Every structure is written in C-alpha cells, then in structure tokens.
Amino acid sequence: GPASTIRSLTWEGLFETGAAPLRRLMERKIALQSGERFDLEYIEDSEEEILYLLHEMHYAHASVDIEAQAFPEEEAVDIQIKVDLGAPCVFGPITLVGDYDAPESKVRDVITLREGDAYKGSELGTTQKELFGLGIFSVVNIVPQLDPGGDPVVPVRIEVSTTRPKELRLGGGLGWENGK
C-alpha cells in the first residue's frame, strides 16, 4: 500500500525536572520525526540511538520501548516512546579474567575504566580498543554486570584470551552494543 507518515510522536517518562533538554536532544537524533515517512526500521534504529545517548549520560539501566499504532486507511502512524532512565550509574570494581603472558599491571594500565567514574557506554569500547591494541589478545569481551534491581554501581568483567603464536589477523570493522 501507499507509504504512511508519522502523524504524532509522544514521549512518556522524560518529564521530570531537567529532562526537557534531554528529550529535545533525543528528538533531534532519532530517525522518527512527525510528518516524515514511516519506516519500520526507524523504530529499532531510534531505540538504539536513544539507548546510546542515555548510556553516554550515565544511565546504564535505561530502557526504551517504542510502540507504533498504524492507521492504514489514513496513511498515518502514531508513535509512543516510553523511556525509563533508572538511576545515574558509576563504574564498580573492574575484574580482569583470562590467561595471558603479560604483567597484569601492563594490561591494567591500558584499561580506561576507573572504579567510581560516571558510567559512560563509550568507555567500554575505548577500553576494548586499547586492550586489542596491545596485540596480545584475540578476544576481549567487556561485560557490564547490570543488576536487575537497578544498583547504580555497575561492576565490569573483562574477559580476555591471548593470541596464539602463529595466528594471522586480518580485517576491520565497526560495531556498537548497548551494553545488555
């Protein structure tokens, strides 16, 4: 059928004191815009973008739910975005797990995460990049240990595995995870 447009876009959960600037920032960054053509892919893209922004603003336990109600006869879609911020978080203890042939102090020197620092999702990626940069790990998995109860202190587990002596590594890539 014909393309539908986004007729309305409403937000729920971002009306607390001081949240209006945050909501306006998200409104500018997401693919879903009132009056624009609706595409189902925009929902997932927008959820990921909102979570990324919230993780950068220290909300490790944030959740986003986007619902779309379609009205095909009117060629319209109404969107409702529900956001639960949770409490602002800080990094907790950083645990390093795995076997490697380097002094632990040298490995820990490149870890950019610091216990007590405000949680920021991009720091997980920065630490992963720095650990890979040592050239001794073939696997670096950084897992924030998010407590279902919403504890604002987020311990981080870093799992590493060494490069085998005759391993050849080629390629490149780019990725983003929302931390869940």
Side-chain angles (χ1 to χ4, degrees), residues 74-86:
E74 300 172 35
E75 297 176 6
V77 177
D78 293 337
I79 305 289
Q80 183 176 29
I81 302 173
K82 298 175 185 176
V83 178
D84 181 10
L85 294 177

Side-chain angles (χ1 to χ4, degrees), residues 3-6 32 36-43 68 70 76-77 79:
S4 294
T5 58
I6 298 172
L32 296 168
E36 297 292 324
R37 185 179 68 81
F38 174 76
D39 188 321
L40 201 52
E41 288 183 21
Y42 293 171
I43 290 179
V77 177
I79 305 289

Side-chain angles (χ1 to χ4, degrees), residues 131-152:
L131 287 168
F132 273 127
L134 290 173
I136 60 174
F137 300 119
S138 60
V139 175
V140 176
N141 210 7
I142 301 180
V143 183
Q145 306 292 298
L146 296 172
D147 176 71
D151 188 346

Side-chain angles (χ1 to χ4, degrees), residues 27-128:
E27 286 172 343
R28 286 193 309 270
K29 295 281 188 177
I30 64 173
L32 296 168
Q33 300 292 322
S34 289
E36 297 292 324
R37 185 179 68 81
F38 174 76
D39 188 321
L40 201 52
E41 288 183 21
Y42 293 171
I43 290 179
E44 187 175 323
D45 293 346
S46 295
E47 282 180 353
E48 289 177 4
E49 184 65 30
I50 292 169
L51 279 174
Y52 174 79
L53 290 168
L54 293 175
H55 289 171
E56 287 302 289
M57 296 175 183
H58 322 305
Y59 295 103
H61 295 286
S63 65
V64 178
D65 182 39
I66 300 179
E67 296 177 3
Q69 189 172 8
F71 300 90
E73 65 284 350
E74 300 172 35
E75 297 176 6
V77 177
D78 293 337
I79 305 289
Q80 183 176 29
I81 302 173
K82 298 175 185 176
V83 178
D84 181 10
L85 294 177
C89 296
V90 296
F91 287 116
I94 314 299
T95 306
L96 184 60
V97 179
D99 295 324
Y100 47 89
D101 295 328
E104 184 171 342
S105 62
K106 296 291 182 189
V107 174
R108 286 200 176 268
D109 282 347
V110 301
I111 295 174
T112 60
L113 307 172
R114 299 287 176 254
E115 186 172 348
D117 282 358
Y119 183 94
K120 193 170 181 182
S122 63
E123 280 302 312
L124 302 171
T126 300
T127 290
Q128 185 179 42

